[in-house]
Amino acid sequence: MNLFELTKNLMNIPSVSGDEQAVGFYLRDYLESLGWTVELQAVSANQNNVIAYLNDRPRVFLSTHIDTVPPFIAATEDDEKIYGRGACDAKGIIASQITAAEKLRAEGIADIGLLYTVEEETSSAGARSANLHPMAAKCEYLINGEPTDLDLAIGSKGTFRLKILTEGKAAHSAYPEMGESAVEKLLDILADVRRARFPNDEFFGETTVNIGTIEGGVALNVIPPRAEAGIAVRLTTPRASVEPMLEEIVKTRGTIEVLSCSEPIKMLAVEGFNQKTVRFTTDIPYLTNWGTPLLLGAGSILVAHTKDEFVLKKDLETAVELYVNLVKKLLG
Ligand SMILES: [Zn+2]
């Protein structure tokens, strides 16, 4: 099947995180029809990672995720582009990796594998399971695919997700002295968070903070008894350098609830490829047992997760060549 057909076929199987079973079965059937040995690794009752290989010593794996963000958007195309959900994040990438793997195989290179995970867009549950798979021990290099505009990403920021919760005391809003406003407490804390200067890093760049959600209060005539804000810090230094600063800001005015954290990580730099750092997080921090990580893929992260997601067809073709060259270099 050609590269663009495969991209569109994968896109047209809805696989919003949590609903990846059908696309996993499709990949298994397709890869088996090409002669690959395919394992489905159960992550939950209806979610499977897909692991494929040609022999018992796969040293380099091409990998990305099979889930997408919502909503499903069917594939459309014109001469230049393929549009729709997953065009670049990451079904076009799956198609370009499989096409590259088939080219390598046609040249007699068989020490390669494919790893496709579920739930990258939410919890990386698929990657966490994959990290426990025995195949990981055989893998020396893991080429992960995310839209990097065909550059080799040599570093990605981490993400520290947390909630700040405040409590007050409800009272009639006409008698504010009888209560204590959790919303005002939260606003004071958030003002201090915005003023804070978190440490930056020469390699990874600037640590940025997004106050993504705010909730609180019960009614206009009630002093709010509780409030909370959801915050994502894009880490350029370890969590350990940021968390104490947040604790110092919040002090006893509220509590911090950590939701998740992935540290900033460096990936392998390879000569002959354009290199850069990226701001987004991938499955890589959860695939620590899969050898040295690399990151490269067609498409732009700026259109991923939007209703206008697309990928340039020529970029998919270029990605195939880049994956072929990269695998050859890594296999020496
Ligand atoms: Zn992605």
Side-chain angles (χ1 to χ4, degrees), residues 4 33 36 85 89 119 126 139 188 202 209 214 247 328:
F4 306 142
S33 79
W36 290 73
R85 183 61 71 227
D89 191 13
E119 280 217 11
C139 178
D188 289 345
E202 209 167 291
V209 179
I214 293 187
E247 285 165 354
K328 284 184 183 171

Side-chain angles (χ1 to χ4, degrees), residues 65 89-90 120-121 146:
H65 56 92
D89 191 13
E120 188 272 344
E121 298 289 4
E146 290 289 347

Side-chain angles (χ1 to χ4, degrees), residues 96-326:
S96 56
Q97 290 182 341
I98 292 174
T99 306
E102 283 291 292
K103 279 199 172 198
L104 288 160
R105 185 182 169 200
E107 295 180 33
I109 296 169
D111 297 353
I112 53 175
L114 301 166
L115 167 65
Y116 295 120
T117 60
V118 298
E119 280 217 11
E120 188 272 344
E121 298 289 4
T122 51
S123 62
S124 284
R128 290 172 209 266
S129 294
N131 214 29
L132 305 174
H133 194 281
M135 187 60 74
K138 298 188 178 183
C139 178
E140 293 168 33
Y141 297 98
L142 181 79
I143 303 173
N144 197 245
E146 290 289 347
T148 64
D149 287 305
L150 300 173
D151 294 334
L152 190 66
I154 55 171
S156 69
K157 291 186 179 183
T159 308
F160 184 31
R161 295 165 66 247
L162 59 119
K163 275 184 183 177
I164 296 175
L165 306 108
T166 54
E167 281 184 22
K169 188 172 162 231
H172 193 296
S173 66
Y175 303 88
E177 69 279 9
M178 303 299 290
E180 190 185 10
S181 169
V183 167
E184 289 188 5
K185 270 195 202 176
L186 183 65
L187 290 175
D188 289 345
I189 293 170
L190 294 179
D192 292 343
V193 169
R194 294 182 67 196
R195 265 195 295 272
R197 289 288 160 260
F198 295 99
N200 298 323
D201 181 83
E202 209 167 291
F203 178 81
F204 287 105
E206 191 186 355
T207 298
T208 59
V209 179
N210 181 44
I211 302 169
T213 59
I214 293 187
E215 273 174 60
V218 286
L220 297 189
N221 54 0
V222 179
I223 303 295
R226 51 166 300 284
E228 65 175 65
I231 293 179
V233 185
R234 296 288 165 171
L235 294 173
T236 63
T237 59
R239 163 182 170 176
S241 64
V242 167
E243 194 169 12
M245 288 182 69
L246 287 166
E247 285 165 354
E248 182 57 29
I249 289 168
V250 175
K251 290 203 181 82
T252 56
R253 295 183 291 178
T255 53
I256 294 173
E257 184 189 321
V258 174
L259 301 174
S260 68
C261 184
S262 63
E263 300 281 3
I265 50 163
K266 290 189 179 179
M267 275 94 56
L268 188 67
V270 179
E271 231 175 274
F273 290 80
N274 289 333
Q275 299 175 3
K276 70 176 175 196
T277 60
V278 295
R279 298 186 194 176
F280 55 89
T281 307
T282 69
D283 266 344
I284 290 174
Y286 306 101
L287 293 168
T288 50
N289 293 333
W290 286 79
T292 304
L294 298 91
L295 179 62
L296 182 147
S300 167
I301 198 69
L302 300 179
V303 299
H305 300 196
T306 73
K307 67 179 178 21
D308 303 315
E309 183 171 350
F310 72 87
V311 68
L312 284 166
K313 291 179 174 177
K314 74 169 174 36
D315 283 2
L316 288 178
E317 289 171 329
T318 305
V320 172
E321 298 309 317
L322 290 173
Y323 286 133
V324 166
N325 294 340
L326 199 49

